[in-house]
Amino acid sequence: DAKTTQPNSMESNEEEPVHLPCNHSTISGTDYIHWYRQLPSQGPEYVIHGLTSNVNNRMASLAIAEDRKSSTLILHRATLRDAAVYYCIPGGSQGNLIFGKGTKLSVKP
Amino acid sequence: EAGVAQSPRYKIIEKRQSVAFWCNPISGHATLYWYQQILGQGPKLLIQFQNNGVVDDSQLPKDRFSAERLKGVDSTLKIQPAKLEDSAVYLCASSSIGGNNSPLHFGNGTRLTVT
């Protein structure tokens, strides 16, 4: 399984963009990069995933480095509801995602 | 679409007792997962089913944990007997086809406290 490195915590101001980094230097060529987030007392929530190209959806954007050894989750305008733990996970071939400790994002009003 | 349903939401038992958790995945989802999340840690995969067959149970403590997915739909996870270190949130997730291009949908979990 590919190893990931994420900051333990980050802070952001409300309505400002947030860039959450992730290093996954041992990722295999066929692993998708998944991002999930977990709000307090809830199960993880899917945010976005991609393979090589940058990806956008209504929640966020995912920028994947050309060598695929790192990626960045971009929240374009942080809200208080975005405060959560964000997990970056290279997807295993069977779809079984191995979670690390993630990045705890705090959003200040 | 309805999400992944889990019950009970909370459970408190004494050590050496038995407990069971139930999960109803999203309709039509072939792949079902059970994760254990200890406070302050990321979720840890216990077992993965594809329809009613086990794909991966390498992290399941089989001396005390068991899981089944009869008819490839609902699933139950059982602990017998429970230990103090089993205190955690047990999360169920499902995905439509499995494979690493298929997002997982999680329930809100069952919080187990073993005293």
Side-chain angles (χ1 to χ4, degrees):
Chain A
D1 297 322
K3 303 293 184 188
T4 59
T5 303
Q6 295 182 257
N8 289 332
S9 62
M10 291 184 63
E11 268 192 359
S12 172
N13 294 316
E14 197 175 12
E15 298 188 4
E16 289 186 355
V18 182
H19 290 232
L20 295 162
C22 180
N23 287 321
H24 32 76
S25 58
T26 60
I27 192 170
S28 79
T30 57
D31 282 354
Y32 280 75
I33 299 154
H34 296 252
W35 283 82
Y36 285 75
R37 71 180 186 181
Q38 189 171 24
L39 281 66
S41 300
Q42 294 187 22
E45 174 189 27
Y46 167 78
V47 178
I48 199 166
H49 76 293
L51 185 61
T52 55
S53 304
N54 294 344
V55 185
N56 300 293
N57 66 20
R58 64 175 180 81
M59 290 180 69
S61 295
L62 176 59
I64 301 171
E66 197 169 333
D67 63 6
R68 293 191 4 101
K69 292 184 177 181
S70 65
S71 62
T72 302
L73 179 71
I74 303 165
L75 306 179
H76 295 285
R77 290 181 71 232
T79 70
L80 297 178
R81 294 192 308 170
D82 291 324
V85 177
Y86 286 78
Y87 297 98
C88 161
I89 312 166
S93 60
Q94 297 181 126
N96 49 342
L97 300 181
I98 308 300
F99 287 74
K101 292 188 176 180
T103 296
K104 183 174 183 179
L105 176 66
S106 303
V107 180
K108 296 185 291 184
Chain B
E1 63 181 3
V4 175
Q6 290 189 247
S7 67
R9 190 78 172 91
Y10 303 94
K11 189 74 176 178
I12 301 174
I13 62 172
E14 295 182 352
K15 60 184 179 184
R16 291 187 289 273
Q17 287 187 320
S18 302
V19 65
F21 314 124
W22 173 80
C23 172
N24 182 234
I26 292 173
S27 177
H29 277 195
T31 310
L32 185 147
Y33 310 79
W34 283 102
Y35 282 82
Q36 177 194 59
Q37 187 171 25
I38 293 171
L39 188 64
Q41 300 181 17
K44 171 189 168 186
L45 179 68
L46 293 177
I47 189 167
Q48 176 186 353
F49 292 94
Q50 182 74 20
N51 297 308
N52 60 352
V54 175
V55 174
D56 182 2
D57 64 356
S58 57
Q59 298 297 306
L60 187 73
K62 298 180 187 63
D63 58 333
R64 298 184 300 107
F65 286 64
S66 64
E68 60 182 8
R69 190 183 184 198
L70 299 176
K71 301 181 181 178
V73 182
D74 292 7
S75 178
T76 56
L77 176 69
K78 296 179 182 177
I79 307 175
Q80 180 179 8
K83 293 185 176 182
L84 296 176
E85 59 259 37
D86 297 332
S87 294
V89 175
Y90 291 84
L91 295 159
C92 179
S94 68
S95 67
S96 56
I97 57 173
N100 73 45
N101 189 20
S102 184
L104 272 61
H105 301 261
F106 283 83
N108 284 327
T110 296
R111 181 177 297 277
L112 173 67
T113 302
V114 182
T115 62

